[in-house]
Amino acid sequence: AQSVTQLDSQVPVFEEAPVELRCNYSSSVSVYLFWYVQYPNQGLQLLLKYLSGSTLVKGINGFEAEFNKSQTSFHLRKPSVHISDTAEYFCAVRGGGNKLTFGTGTQLKVEL
Amino acid sequence: ETGVTQTPRHLVMGMTNKKSLKCEQHLGHNAMYWYKQSAKKPLELMFVYNFKEQTENNSVPSRFSPECPNSSHLFLHLHTLQPEDSALYLCASSQGLAVSSYEQYFGPGTRLTVT
């Protein structure tokens, strides 16, 4: 079985500041990791994914994430956020089987 | 229409009603999913279909009954629901179930309120 922990339920940040959204996972098998974003009244959209290879993964909208196997983490970062990045962000892990397990989400609020 | 569409977007139903949620994907995908999203809780996978066959039922109560007549359409039939079933129900699709084809595309969801 696998699980995902997103410790921060809300992250406020000023526009143009950097941001990091934390994600830790646990799994007894090799994992595949995903970050999704959900804007108000919309479904989830894939930001980026780690399947294999380079541990630094670049996604859409200037986001990137780094897979750290020793720390079982997959933190999401953006060097300079914009108002339009205000949304809820979900980390997800797929281990064995076909099931994607999601975290509880982090609400990113970008302020002027 | 493009992507994944869901109808209705909002639904209010009494506990004795029967209603259905509809999902349609226009992406040529083979796998479809139902998720439940409740406030402050992780997304819960409910059902997975691959090539119209159910491959996963995540211990969902029988008052939720899925139907997948073809790879493009997925329904969730609802009957005798409870107030705790009020949530956002999300449909998703992916090319397949293999990791390389597993990117899921989500619809906007149906906001269900059970009174």
Side-chain angles (χ1 to χ4, degrees), chain B residues 80-94:
Chain B
T80 58
L81 294 191
Q82 305 298 312
E84 60 265 29
D85 296 322
S86 298
L88 182 67
Y89 288 85
L90 291 166
C91 174
S93 70
S94 67

Side-chain angles (χ1 to χ4, degrees), chain B residues 18-31:
Chain B
K18 287 185 180 181
K19 295 286 185 184
S20 295
L21 310 185
K22 178 183 176 182
C23 174
E24 184 172 3
Q25 59 95 359
H26 309 268
L27 300 167
H29 288 169
N30 299 309

Side-chain angles (χ1 to χ4, degrees), chain A residues 22-63:
Chain A
R22 297 181 294 168
C23 173
N24 288 88
Y25 68 91
S26 67
S27 176
S28 56
V29 297
S30 297
V31 295
Y32 309 99
L33 296 153
F34 305 80
W35 274 100
Y36 282 85
V37 61
Q38 185 177 31
Y39 299 102
N41 301 314
Q42 294 187 31
L44 278 68
Q45 179 184 7
L46 182 69
L47 272 179
L48 48 78
K49 60 186 175 185
Y50 171 79
L51 302 183
S52 65
S54 173
T55 57
L56 183 63
V57 180
K58 294 190 183 297
I60 62 171
N61 302 341
F63 284 93

Side-chain angles (χ1 to χ4, degrees), chain B residues 15-99:
Chain B
M15 290 193 287
T16 58
N17 291 159
K18 287 185 180 181
K19 295 286 185 184
S20 295
L21 310 185
K22 178 183 176 182
C23 174
E24 184 172 3
Q25 59 95 359
H26 309 268
L27 300 167
H29 288 169
N30 299 309
M32 296 188 77
Y33 312 76
W34 278 118
Y35 287 90
K36 176 183 179 183
Q37 186 178 27
S38 304
K40 306 302 180 188
K41 292 175 69 176
L43 266 74
E44 300 172 53
L45 178 66
M46 300 175 72
F47 303 102
V48 180
Y49 279 81
N50 193 35
F51 291 99
K52 305 190 300 178
E53 299 298 319
Q54 188 179 113
T55 61
E56 184 124 9
N57 176 335
N58 201 28
S59 302
V60 180
S62 59
R63 56 186 184 270
F64 294 92
S65 174
E67 179 190 1
C68 188
N70 54 61
S71 292
S72 298
H73 294 86
L74 185 64
F75 295 89
L76 189 62
H77 304 300
L78 316 170
H79 63 97
T80 58
L81 294 191
Q82 305 298 312
E84 60 265 29
D85 296 322
S86 298
L88 182 67
Y89 288 85
L90 291 166
C91 174
S93 70
S94 67
Q95 181 61 46
L97 298 182
V99 170

